[in-house]
Amino acid sequence: MTDFKDLVRLDLQSLATRLATGSPAQSELGTQEWLAVVQVLTTRILRDAVELSTDDWGLVAQAYAYAVDTAIAAGDFDHREKTYRALHLSSNLLRQVPANPDIELLDPHRMTELLIRELPMPVEQARAQAEHWTTLERSEILALRIAKEFLRPGLYLAHRAYGEHLPEPLNSWERVFPSLP
């Protein structure tokens, strides 16, 4: 049985090694503990990013994927939260370290593809709804806010991937971004 307090006291290398090997099992920690593991791991990745070698990044990426997927399976958050966290982590990491096409979190092209896939609506719908968002149903406003939260780090990633001239639909999303609630 894994002791949660001992687990989160581990340094990044030790924590990543444990998680990358599938330990602890989902059943060994509670739902909130899995969320805490994801948060601790994310904090340690951001703190130590500039010191990680290429081999370390493979281990850390595998550990991050396991921790997030296990937290989802434990019922603490959902796929949308996973996307939100990945976009923000990637955006913050790419402000510190070079892009790396072998590591999804460090690949602005793959992260931009994730953004496009996971946006909750087409850009045309967002543009039309943003013009009168105060009159929309709560669920429609929420979808617009989710789009904005995904775009906040996502547009940075898109510019890292494509430079100043974004392809569609990213260019249109960038134009509609300021009008989203």
Side-chain angles (χ1 to χ4, degrees):
M1 187 71 173
T2 299
D3 181 58
F4 169 74
K5 290 179 184 176
D6 290 339
L7 185 66
V8 296
R9 284 188 196 117
L10 296 173
D11 64 9
L12 176 58
Q13 186 73 28
S14 300
L15 180 59
T17 300
R18 289 276 308 272
L19 293 169
T21 60
S23 175
Q26 177 191 332
S27 61
E28 292 183 68
L29 298 177
T31 302
Q32 290 297 307
E33 290 173 327
W34 275 111
L35 175 61
V37 168
V38 170
Q39 291 170 328
V40 166
L41 181 62
T42 300
T43 300
R44 299 232 170 95
I45 292 169
L46 288 168
R47 182 192 67 200
D48 298 347
V50 296
E51 299 168 11
L52 296 176
S53 70
T54 303
D55 290 340
D56 292 337
W57 276 113
L59 179 72
V60 166
Q62 187 177 355
Y64 180 79
Y66 175 75
V68 170
D69 289 344
T70 305
I72 290 171
D76 199 49
F77 57 86
D78 60 14
H79 182 75
R80 184 182 76 212
E81 181 73 14
K82 176 183 178 178
T83 301
Y84 173 81
R85 287 173 180 272
L87 291 169
H88 278 274
L89 178 56
S90 179
S91 172
N92 288 324
L93 286 171
L94 288 171
R95 294 171 200 275
Q96 297 181 56
V97 299
N100 180 342
D102 296 329
I103 306 296
E104 184 176 25
L105 287 170
L106 300 180
D107 184 347
H109 286 93
R110 288 199 291 180
M111 295 307 293
T112 301
E113 290 169 7
L114 173 68
L115 167 70
I116 292 169
R117 240 185 358 261
E118 298 298 328
L119 281 164
M121 66 187 67
V123 67
E124 298 80 13
Q125 180 183 350
R127 183 182 306 109
Q129 289 181 334
E131 292 175 8
H132 59 87
W133 72 266
T134 57
T135 64
L136 297 175
E137 296 291 322
R138 186 170 191 259
S139 62
E140 294 169 313
I141 295 170
L142 178 61
L144 289 172
R145 287 186 177 158
I146 291 167
K148 189 167 192 171
E149 287 306 310
F150 283 10
L151 289 165
R152 211 175 294 282
L155 288 172
Y156 170 79
L157 293 165
H159 280 288
R160 285 292 306 261
Y162 297 102
E164 288 306 307
H165 302 290
L166 297 179
E168 289 300 333
L170 296 166
N171 186 46
S172 293
W173 274 111
E174 186 170 52
R175 286 195 313 271
V176 78
F177 178 80
S179 62
L180 296 173

